Amino acid sequence: MRRRARLLAAFAALALALAPAFAEARPGGGSSSGSRGSRSYSAPPSTRTAPGTASPFQRSETPRQDPGVNPGYGQARPAPSYTTPYNNRGGMFGGGFMSGLMGGLLGAGLAGMLFGNGAFGGMSGGAGFLGFLLQLGIIAGLIWLVLRMLRGSRAGSMASPMMAGNRGGAVPGTYAREMDGSMGGGGAVRGPAARPVEINNTDFAAFEQTLIRINEAWSRQDMATLQRLSTPEMARYFQQDLRDLQARGWRNETRDVRLESGDLSEAWAEDGVDYATVAMRFSLVDVTRDANGQVVEGDPNARQTVTEIWTFVRRPRESWLVSAIQQTR
């Protein structure tokens, strides 16, 4: 009986430790991923929809380099010699030293539990079973804290709505004018190689439709559509995240996406490529199910609201593509 109790406690601790790693399964994984050309390592200006700051990229294929040098959004993955912080999560603990540390701590603790020594020294000492449970809690708490630090802090619904997106019958022109006039962000120029870009109603309508279509394709696990709507880099991240979910027998569905408010942070051109960074506050139903159809995350009957900063890119006479998704904080 005592061995069975140890096994149950060990599995419970493992489930508790891993749960936060997959709490954000929507497109982008609830993290900041992608590239913004030469501004990849500069925070986009705040807006009324996103008055805080954007989280730095945790995944980006853009190497740190001299200002004004843009590798282009269609380039191949950089060589391993480039220094690209947080380029690959490498699994649930982020790879590298942190992965080894957390894996060793978790492995040592669980091994001790299973072989009767407790996480750090056994159940037969003075602390007894209560001390054993306390050790489990400490391990799970430390892992949860490290994971939260890696994922970055995320703000709640900070923005005050400026307009009703496609909710309540607002016309696209209202959405576009509000975005274009927000906080003077449209066309802000930084860097010698940049020039301002005019963003019009058609562009804003395209951003909104891309937001909806990305989520629809994600829910269908339709990589062909995701590749058409995003840069090669972002498509690789979408594919990686879908594979992570599939490896666990999970499937995420985001449906009924509604833009609640949005505004332009900045728009610029460099090296013949146009960029537009847009803050968007949207609501959706976000549910993750296992292979048996059981809900493991989210509520199929409740909507949640998310504020994210999306960057779009295009070449002349081509459509806008998603090149980055950043969380707010």
Side-chain angles (χ1 to χ4, degrees):
M1 291 297 293
R2 294 185 64 186
R3 180 174 179 80
R4 180 178 298 178
R6 294 173 189 164
L7 285 171
L8 292 175
F11 287 132
L14 180 61
L16 178 62
L18 298 185
F22 310 107
E24 303 286 358
R26 66 179 182 272
S31 63
S32 295
S33 306
S35 299
R36 298 197 323 122
S38 63
R39 304 186 185 185
S40 294
Y41 298 101
S42 299
S46 299
T47 73
R48 281 179 284 181
T49 296
T53 60
S55 297
F57 286 121
Q58 295 155 320
R59 297 183 293 182
S60 181
E61 294 180 2
T62 299
R64 291 187 180 274
Q65 55 196 350
D66 294 335
V69 178
N70 177 22
Y73 70 82
Q75 75 165 18
R77 186 185 302 272
S81 59
Y82 288 150
T83 301
T84 308
Y86 309 108
N87 189 32
N88 193 323
R89 287 181 297 180
M92 57 192 173
F93 295 127
F97 171 76
M98 191 58 65
S99 177
L101 175 62
M102 290 295 99
L105 177 61
L106 185 58
L110 292 180
M113 298 169 197
L114 295 177
F115 289 103
N117 296 322
F120 298 112
M123 295 175 54
S124 58
F129 190 70
L130 181 60
F132 168 71
L133 292 179
L134 179 60
Q135 293 167 1
L136 285 178
I138 292 174
I139 293 175
L142 287 174
I143 296 175
W144 181 88
L145 178 61
V146 171
L147 288 171
R148 293 302 297 176
M149 292 174 63
L150 288 175
R151 297 177 64 86
S153 57
R154 296 183 62 244
S157 299
M158 299 171 58
S160 57
M162 295 164 48
M163 37 62 71
N166 56 6
R167 183 184 63 175
V171 297
T174 302
Y175 167 72
R177 284 193 298 272
E178 291 286 8
M179 290 186 67
D180 196 33
S182 171
M183 303 293 288
V189 181
R190 291 179 295 170
R195 63 172 176 80
V197 169
E198 182 73 21
I199 302 298
N200 58 35
N201 292 9
T202 302
D203 298 319
F204 290 122
F207 300 155
E208 182 175 355
Q209 285 303 308
T210 300
L211 168 70
I212 296 171
R213 293 177 62 194
I214 284 284
N215 279 273
E216 291 174 345
W218 171 266
S219 298
R220 299 192 305 267
Q221 300 185 353
D222 182 356
M223 273 306 304
T225 299
L226 290 172
Q227 288 170 343
R228 287 196 301 270
L229 297 174
S230 60
T231 62
E233 177 185 6
M234 282 303 298
R236 285 189 282 270
Y237 296 143
F238 290 141
Q239 187 172 47
Q240 174 186 326
D241 293 341
L242 286 174
R243 286 175 176 172
D244 287 346
L245 288 169
Q246 292 169 356
R248 291 161 181 83
W250 294 357
R251 185 185 183 100
N252 178 251
E253 176 188 356
T254 56
R255 55 182 171 85
D256 196 15
V257 177
R258 303 176 189 171
L259 183 68
E260 307 291 348
S261 67
D263 47 15
L264 181 67
S265 173
E266 58 182 347
W268 75 101
E270 54 185 50
D271 295 336
V273 179
D274 294 343
Y275 289 86
T277 296
V278 180
M280 294 190 288
R281 181 175 179 266
F282 56 95
S283 62
L284 75 169
V285 177
D286 184 356
V287 180
T288 303
R289 302 177 186 273
D290 62 19
N292 298 319
Q294 299 296 315
V295 175
V296 296
E297 183 69 23
D299 185 344
N301 301 311
R303 300 183 65 80
Q304 58 178 281
T305 301
V306 178
T307 301
E308 292 181 332
I309 298 174
W310 287 42
T311 297
F312 299 86
V313 66
R314 70 178 176 189
R315 296 191 186 278
R317 295 178 296 279
E318 294 185 3
S319 300
W320 289 103
L321 303 176
V322 177
S323 71
I325 299 176
Q326 290 176 272
Q327 305 306 308
T328 57
R329 62 179 186 179

